[in-house]
Each structure stands twice: as C-alpha cells, then as structure tokens.
Amino acid sequence: MDRLGGITLLMLVITITGTLAADSEERLVRMLFNESAYNPGVRPALTPAEVVSVKITLAVSQVISVIEKEEVMRTNVWVAQEWTDPRLSWNKEDYDHISLIRVPAEAIWRPDIMLFNNKDGQYDVALYTRALVYDSGYVYWLPPAIFTSECSINVRHFPFDKQNCTLQFGSWTYDKREVDLQQGGYVQDDFKESGEWAILEIPDRKVETDDNVFIAYDFMLARKPLFYIVNMIVPIILLTLLSIFVFYLPVDCGEKVGLCINILLALVVFLLLIADIIPSTSLDIPLIGRYLMFTMIFVTIVTVMTIYVGNVHFRSTATHVMSPWIRYIFLELLPKLMKMSPPGEEEEEEDEDSSPTWDAVEMRKRDGVVQNGRPPVPPRSDQPKLSSELREAAGNVQLISDHFKDQDDDSAVSDEWRFMAALVDRICLWLFSIILLVGTVVLFAEPWYEDSFQ
C-alpha cells in the first residue's frame, strides 16, 4: 500500500507541474500577443530610423536537377532567418523559467525574404513552420523550400562542364534602410548527393544596390561525366575508329563507301541527341558537339578518299595514262618509304629465284647434255624455204603472240594502278590514324588547360 501511494503521489505532482507549466506558457503567449496588442505587420524597431538586422543561413539538402534545356536549377534547401524582436522578450522568472516558445510564423513579424531569381512563380518558402522565440526577443525561423531558379548554362565544355548557379535572396517589402541582411554562410548537415552534379563550393556574397540589399549563394557545380562517357563519347570514338579501317578493306569487296555512309548516319543520330540535351544557344559550341563535327568532317574526307581509291583501282590503259611524275612518286619514291614492292619488282624477284644459276648452265654445257639427259642437237647450216601455208601459220602465231603480249602489257598497267590504289590506302590508314589521335587528344584536353574552366 505504501508503494502504491508513493506512485500515485508522484504522478499527481507531475500532473500538477505539467499543468502549471502549460498554464505559464499560455499566460506568456497571451501576454505577448493579446495583452500587448502585438501587430505582426509592424517592423520590430524602437525608432523609425533603426535598421533591423536579419541573418540568413542556407541549409542545403539536395541539388535536385539542373535542366540545361530550360536553363534552371531545382534545389531543396532550408532558409534559416534570425533577427531580434524586442516586443517578444519577457522575464523568464515570471513564467516558470520558460526561455523558449514555439509560435506560428504567421503570428509574428517576418522580413519577407524571397528568392528574386525564381523561374516558376514560387517565390516564397514551401511551408510556414513554427518559429522559435527566446526570452531575449531573439527569433529563429527555419522554413523548408524547393526552389526553381534561373541558371545560365555555359555549354562550352559539355559534358566536362562546371556551372555557376546563383540563389539571390532579398526582402520583398523592405529596403536596406529598414532591413539589413547579414551573411550566415551555408551548411550541409543533411545533404543528399546528386547522381549527376557534385557541389564544389557555395560561397555567399552580399550585393547592395541603391535601395536594396541581397544575399547571393553561388552554387559551384561540376558535372559527373561518366554517363556521357559511356553512352556518347566512347561510341563516337569507336565509330570514328571504324571509319579508319575502311582503308584496310580491299576495294574489290565493294563495301567501303557503304560503310562510311553508315558511320556518317550514326554520327548524325548522336548529333540529334546532343541537340535535345543542351540549350538552343549560339553563344558557344559544346565540346562534344565540336568533337562530333570533327568526326563528321573526318568521316566525310575518308569517304571522299575511299571513292578516289576506288577510281584509281579500276583504271586501265583504255581510260587513263599514267604520267611520268605519278609513276615516279607512286611506283618509285613512296613504295620505298612505305616498305612496299611494286608489281614489276616482285616478278623479277620470282624470276631470279626460279632461273638456274650461271654455274649450273656452264656445267651442263661442259657435260654436253641437257636436263632430260639427251645429247645436244647441232644446228643445221642449211635453212629450208617455208611454204606459203607455213608462212601463213607463222603469221597467225605471231598475231596471237602479239595479242597475248598486249594483254600482258595491259595487265601490267592495271596492276600498276591497283598498286597505286593500295599504296594510297596504306598512306591514308596511317595518316588518318594520326589525325584522329591528335584531334581527340587536343579537343578533350582543352577543358583542363583553359583558365575559364579552372
């Protein structure tokens, strides 16, 4: 029974104490807002010339998105506002040592802090939370907000770009002679990392005009380019590499020009994708756009060279005559530099390898036998006269021999043109490989050595 009575007495004391505390807070609120006739529309200044100081601190929760096409940035933030209202001060000894109360934000004076560079019509905060009021008159208000602000997009280094998006806060109602805004910096206590953007820094600055004062927060953002590297840059580079290997294909396959055209069409598709991402601006060309233009011009020149190589490959004596300077450059000079053997030299090397040596011929003459082991037939001193039929037959044989000789000559000339086409293919393979490598390195290294990017 004694134990039960003790518990009952303790609960009674707690209830009475809570009731007294609630009664004290109710009396305090009644004193502040009813008995004193508090007016939330009146500026908390003791004299008309006094300037009310308001400190603004930005608590950044998340960079939701940066929409390049619309040039806007969406952020989830809390705009902390601190000021002192002498009319909301009290002596805590008279109210059971209550030093803090929470009151609706609509019931007290507010400095009307708005986002001036808003772009969706929502200038104010999203939710009017309760404000913390201390016995000294100090007021702390932390409302949440999702802002859509304008952000001028610099597309020069896209997708390795860095952007500077600004949130500019100021008092919508009061000028700088009535309310002075103070910088409170920014905090990232509950920050959620974005999958596309990384925050480098958020410096704040105070901007003053003739009548107004603003606090601006500059969001220094750096894009995470992995998505664009995997889905755009790497396929473009692979397609361009594929266009170089057109020179490795033989002309007789008939697919060289078709491959170049297909690659060019694929690059046009990537160009259309980029046009849907970046804003329609004529101030600058994005990095990936410049690289796409480079690759498209590159593939176009490759196509032209492929058509020229095909034209050279199918030339013959009936259509073209090889001039002496072309013969000298492409059949004598360049083959030595490219380590290629012209058609005539290859046949001469084969003949030299297949012909018997001089020592073997001398041994056969000295032995008096030929390869089949029979003795040599001595030449006849008297030559019989040929009949008309034999002379006609000899003339026909000579005509056939001349015909085949002309065919061999034409074939040799065609082989020279085909060799020239193969030589041009080999030169273009190395030349365009070097051009592609140098152009890719120079274009993609540009953001890292420009001062504006740093």
Side-chain angles (χ1 to χ4, degrees):
M1 290 295 294
D2 293 340
R3 184 177 179 182
L4 181 61
I7 295 175
T8 304
L9 181 61
L10 179 62
M11 292 179 63
L12 181 62
V13 171
I14 293 174
T15 303
I16 294 174
T17 304
T19 304
L20 293 176
D23 182 66
S24 299
E25 186 171 353
E26 185 177 354
R27 286 189 300 108
L28 174 59
V29 172
R30 190 184 306 114
M31 184 273 297
L32 291 176
F33 296 100
N34 294 338
E35 297 176 3
S36 64
Y38 182 86
N39 188 354
V42 178
R43 189 170 57 94
L46 299 179
T47 62
E50 182 181 354
V51 179
V52 178
S53 179
V54 178
K55 183 180 179 181
I56 297 180
T57 304
L58 192 67
V60 182
S61 176
Q62 184 183 12
V63 176
I64 299 176
S65 63
V66 177
I67 306 175
E68 295 88 349
K69 194 73 175 177
E70 301 177 5
E71 294 191 279
V72 298
M73 177 183 69
R74 299 187 70 241
T75 50
N76 183 7
V77 297
W78 293 294
V79 186
Q81 306 171 34
E82 308 170 45
W83 68 91
T84 300
D85 192 341
R87 299 172 297 173
L88 297 179
S89 61
W90 69 89
N91 186 3
K92 62 181 179 180
E93 302 295 336
D94 299 335
Y95 299 95
D96 294 332
H97 299 279
I98 296 177
S99 60
L100 171 65
I101 60 173
R102 296 164 179 85
V103 298
E106 296 86 350
I108 62 175
W109 176 88
R110 302 182 308 277
D112 287 341
I113 302 299
M114 304 289 179
L115 179 67
F116 273 68
N117 60 336
N118 185 277
K119 208 170 182 179
D120 68 343
Q122 182 66 33
Y123 291 87
D124 204 356
V125 296
L127 178 65
Y128 276 72
T129 58
R130 290 180 175 270
L132 305 181
V133 181
Y134 291 84
D135 59 335
S136 61
Y138 169 76
V139 181
Y140 181 80
W141 186 37
L142 184 64
I146 296 179
F147 290 124
T148 301
S149 59
E150 61 182 16
C151 178
S152 180
I153 301 296
N154 183 7
V155 300
R156 178 171 179 79
H157 302 302
F158 176 85
F160 303 98
D161 53 331
K162 294 179 182 179
Q163 304 296 337
N164 182 3
C165 301
T166 302
L167 297 181
Q168 183 171 332
F169 296 97
S171 177
W172 192 267
T173 307
Y174 304 98
D175 58 20
K176 67 178 183 180
R177 289 178 292 272
E178 297 172 316
V179 172
D180 183 31
L181 301 183
Q182 303 294 329
Q183 300 171 242
Y186 77 99
V187 293
Q188 290 180 290
D189 295 338
D190 191 24
F191 181 73
K192 301 175 183 63
E193 192 73 23
S194 172
E196 185 177 1
W197 296 95
I199 296 180
L200 303 178
E201 192 179 0
I202 310 179
D204 58 337
R205 51 192 171 90
K206 187 175 182 179
V207 181
E208 294 190 28
T209 61
D210 294 337
D211 297 325
N212 298 311
V213 58
F214 304 97
I215 300 297
Y217 290 89
D218 298 321
F219 281 69
M220 304 293 184
L221 305 176
R223 188 190 302 272
K224 300 176 181 178
L226 180 61
F227 173 82
Y228 296 97
I229 291 175
V230 173
N231 294 281
M232 298 188 73
I233 296 178
V234 171
I236 291 173
I237 294 177
L238 292 179
L239 284 173
T240 313
L241 282 174
L242 196 61
S243 68
I244 294 178
F245 285 97
V246 168
F247 297 114
Y248 198 73
L249 283 175
V251 181
D252 294 328
C253 71
E255 298 293 335
K256 293 167 72 74
V257 178
L259 179 59
C260 292
I261 297 300
N262 289 331
I263 294 173
L264 197 60
L265 292 176
L267 293 176
V268 171
V269 172
F270 280 104
L271 188 62
L272 294 176
L273 291 177
I274 295 173
D276 290 336
I277 297 174
I278 61 176
S280 303
T281 176
S282 299
L283 299 177
D284 214 332
I285 302 175
L287 173 63
I288 193 170
R290 295 198 300 273
Y291 185 72
L292 260 178
M293 293 301 297
F294 165 72
T295 55
M296 291 177 68
I297 295 173
F298 181 87
V299 175
T300 302
I301 297 176
V302 168
T303 306
V304 172
M305 292 303 301
T306 303
I307 295 173
Y308 175 74
V309 168
N311 178 273
V312 171
H313 179 82
F314 291 104
R315 287 181 181 182
S316 63
T317 55
T319 58
H320 295 82
V321 177
M322 185 176 291
S323 60
W325 67 271
I326 292 180
R327 184 182 300 274
Y328 172 74
I329 293 176
F330 289 96
L331 297 181
E332 297 181 17
L333 182 61
L334 290 180
K336 296 177 181 178
L337 298 177
M338 301 301 297
K339 305 298 183 181
M340 297 177 65
S341 300
E345 292 184 3
E346 294 179 356
E347 294 178 359
E348 290 177 0
E349 293 177 357
E350 293 178 358
D351 294 339
E352 291 177 359
D353 294 338
S354 60
S355 61
T357 61
W358 179 258
D359 295 337
V361 174
E362 289 295 327
M363 290 178 64
R364 290 168 184 170
K365 287 182 179 180
R366 187 169 55 250
D367 294 340
V369 295
V370 292
Q371 289 183 353
N372 55 9
R374 295 179 181 179
V377 179
R380 297 179 56 183
S381 58
D382 54 339
Q383 296 292 338
K385 295 183 179 181
L386 299 178
S387 63
S388 60
E389 291 82 0
L390 290 177
R391 285 197 299 270
E392 183 180 358
N396 293 334
V397 171
Q398 184 66 32
L399 181 63
I400 295 173
S401 175
D402 293 340
H403 174 71
F404 281 106
K405 184 178 180 181
D406 292 338
Q407 284 187 343
D408 291 340
D409 293 339
D410 293 343
S411 177
V413 173
S414 299
D415 289 342
E416 290 178 350
W417 284 115
R418 284 193 290 269
F419 174 78
M420 177 180 169
L423 182 63
V424 173
D425 261 344
R426 180 73 62 86
I427 294 173
C428 290
L429 178 63
W430 288 103
L431 181 61
F432 282 92
S433 298
I434 296 173
I435 292 175
L436 177 63
L437 178 62
V438 173
T440 302
V441 172
V442 169
L443 285 174
F444 284 111
E446 177 187 348
W448 279 269
Y449 60 76
E450 277 197 3
D451 295 335
S452 60
F453 185 75
Q454 302 298 331

